[in-house]
Amino acid sequence: MPTIVAGVLGQTSMLDAARRLALNGPASLPRGVPVETVGSWSSLDRSEIEELRSAGLVIEEYTTKYFSAQPLGRPLSIAVFGAPGSGKSFAVKQIISHALSGAARILEFNLSQFDDASELTAAFHQIRDAVLEQRLPLVFWDEFDTPLNERRLGWLRHFLAPMQDGKFREGEAFRPLGPAIFIFAGGTASSFNEFAAVRDAEAEVVAKKPDFISRLRGYVDVLGPNPKSPQDDAVVLRRALLLRSLLLRKAPQIVSDSDPGPALRIDPGLLRAFLLASRYKHGARSMEALIEMSALSGRMQYEQASLPAPHLLDLHVDAAEFLALATRAENVDTIRG
């Protein structure tokens, strides 16, 4: 758990703090707990905050030059890592949307769905089209670290010229791309250190991994709602932030005005289940799916009766465990902030 959070909370349990955080937001936490909020994204992990701030500053510098019509010879390249479903793309989109105020054209390409490197040409032309429309392309290259034609890290060498020179190859010619922000989202590595670690030095040189890393201008490791280790007690705080963000966006009718912040109206047992489920099978996507599958239209409170059937719950959590947590008897006063 982050030492600074544990120290500030003192005798307050991590779980009780998470409950209050989900119900009333970051303002309910004691002073000194680091919380960073950009748009609909929030974090209280120091390393995650520092990495996102650093990436945000690099992006802000690049976009400032773009809006002031300074020449930008190549795209800005940032890598983002995290376990599947950790919310990598969402976190970066919130930061860039804040910096660009709607001036970006978002393009997403999942390289695991490409059969051949030649398919990149069409993607690069879409980027050029956005530039011609005077929109700054925000390009997500999802699962960039997946194999190409059974070659580990086979995609990396195809990005070296665009990253370094702002050009891509079409036949025998090299064509200019123009300004863009490249976000490389890892599909096999859950952190930058895992991606950068040397496993087969000779093969990685052939794959151009060192050259690829040298062209990055920042990276972010996004933690997500599953524990990063058995000692990760602060996972309940991350879940509280994510749950609150999702419900504020997807079910605003269950939010009431309250002090110290807008309060969620959610069954205490259901809140406990969201916070204490042992694992979300597909990370943040599973938490989002549970909310989307719940019968919340016209409801003013999120009740256990709103949950989908157990066999549907089981797609995203251990249904038996989740329902047991939701129905377990507990003092309601310790849950309601």
Side-chain angles (χ1 to χ4, degrees), residues 13-94:
S13 74
M14 197 71 75
L15 178 58
D16 191 54
R19 289 164 168 160
R20 295 175 185 274
L21 176 59
L23 290 172
N24 297 110
S28 66
L29 292 174
R31 290 182 180 274
V33 176
V35 179
E36 183 85 350
T37 299
V38 180
S40 298
W41 174 87
S42 296
S43 176
L44 42 70
D45 181 88
R46 282 180 299 169
S47 62
E48 189 176 52
I49 290 171
E50 289 169 0
E51 289 166 7
L52 278 160
R53 281 179 179 172
S54 297
L57 289 173
V58 173
I59 291 168
E60 184 178 348
E61 177 68 16
Y62 189 87
T63 55
T64 297
K65 290 179 179 178
Y66 172 78
F67 287 121
S68 62
Q70 296 184 44
L72 295 168
R74 58 192 176 199
L76 173 66
S77 297
I78 305 287
V80 57
F81 299 92
S86 59
K88 301 184 289 290
S89 296
F90 176 75
V92 176
K93 283 177 183 176
Q94 290 299 303

Side-chain angles (χ1 to χ4, degrees), residues 123-143:
F124 288 135
H125 274 291
Q126 289 188 53
I127 296 168
R128 289 201 346 152
D129 289 344
V131 173
L132 292 173
E133 294 169 1
Q134 298 187 333
R135 302 287 295 278
L136 180 62
L138 170 57
V139 189
F140 285 87
W141 301 105
D142 289 328
E143 303 193 49

Side-chain angles (χ1 to χ4, degrees), residues 7-277:
V8 171
L9 290 179
Q11 297 301 312
T12 303
S13 74
M14 197 71 75
L15 178 58
D16 191 54
R19 289 164 168 160
R20 295 175 185 274
L21 176 59
L23 290 172
N24 297 110
S28 66
L29 292 174
R31 290 182 180 274
V33 176
V35 179
E36 183 85 350
T37 299
V38 180
S40 298
W41 174 87
S42 296
S43 176
L44 42 70
D45 181 88
R46 282 180 299 169
S47 62
E48 189 176 52
I49 290 171
E50 289 169 0
E51 289 166 7
L52 278 160
R53 281 179 179 172
S54 297
L57 289 173
V58 173
I59 291 168
E60 184 178 348
E61 177 68 16
Y62 189 87
T63 55
T64 297
K65 290 179 179 178
Y66 172 78
F67 287 121
S68 62
Q70 296 184 44
L72 295 168
R74 58 192 176 199
L76 173 66
S77 297
I78 305 287
V80 57
F81 299 92
S86 59
K88 301 184 289 290
S89 296
F90 176 75
V92 176
K93 283 177 183 176
Q94 290 299 303
I95 290 174
I96 296 179
S97 296
H98 178 75
L100 294 178
S101 301
R105 167 70 59 82
I106 296 176
L107 299 170
E108 299 186 56
F109 305 101
N110 191 318
L111 297 179
S112 68
Q113 298 177 3
F114 283 17
D115 295 322
D116 188 82
S118 62
E119 294 182 59
L120 287 175
T121 301
F124 288 135
H125 274 291
Q126 289 188 53
I127 296 168
R128 289 201 346 152
D129 289 344
V131 173
L132 292 173
E133 294 169 1
Q134 298 187 333
R135 302 287 295 278
L136 180 62
L138 170 57
V139 189
F140 285 87
W141 301 105
D142 289 328
E143 303 193 49
F144 76 94
D145 51 352
T146 52
L148 169 62
N149 298 328
E150 299 184 359
R151 281 184 163 182
R152 181 174 171 267
L153 302 177
W155 290 104
L156 300 191
R157 64 189 182 91
H158 296 286
F159 288 102
L160 298 184
M163 293 169 74
Q164 181 65 31
D165 304 318
K167 298 178 180 179
F168 68 98
R169 186 168 183 170
E170 184 175 24
E172 297 300 318
F174 281 90
R175 304 193 182 283
L177 268 175
I181 298 175
F182 282 1
I183 304 297
F184 292 95
T188 62
S190 60
S191 69
F192 174 76
N193 286 338
E194 182 182 338
F195 172 71
V198 177
R199 295 176 178 81
D200 183 335
E202 183 176 350
E204 290 176 12
V205 169
V206 171
K208 303 295 184 180
K209 187 170 89 169
D211 299 292
F212 178 86
I213 291 175
S214 73
R215 287 161 168 77
L216 295 175
R217 295 298 178 260
Y219 73 87
V220 180
D221 293 335
V222 178
L223 297 178
N226 285 326
K228 57 184 179 180
S229 72
Q231 293 74 42
D232 184 15
D233 294 335
V235 67
V236 293
L237 297 176
R238 298 201 301 275
R239 289 177 174 182
L241 282 172
L242 179 57
L243 178 64
R244 182 175 176 83
S245 173
L246 288 169
L247 287 173
L248 286 174
R249 287 185 287 122
K250 295 181 176 295
Q253 76 278 5
I254 70 167
V255 181
S256 62
D257 291 334
S258 181
D259 185 37
L264 299 181
R265 291 189 291 263
I266 181 172
D267 175 82
L270 185 54
L271 174 58
R272 179 172 62 247
F274 270 107
L275 295 178
L276 294 182

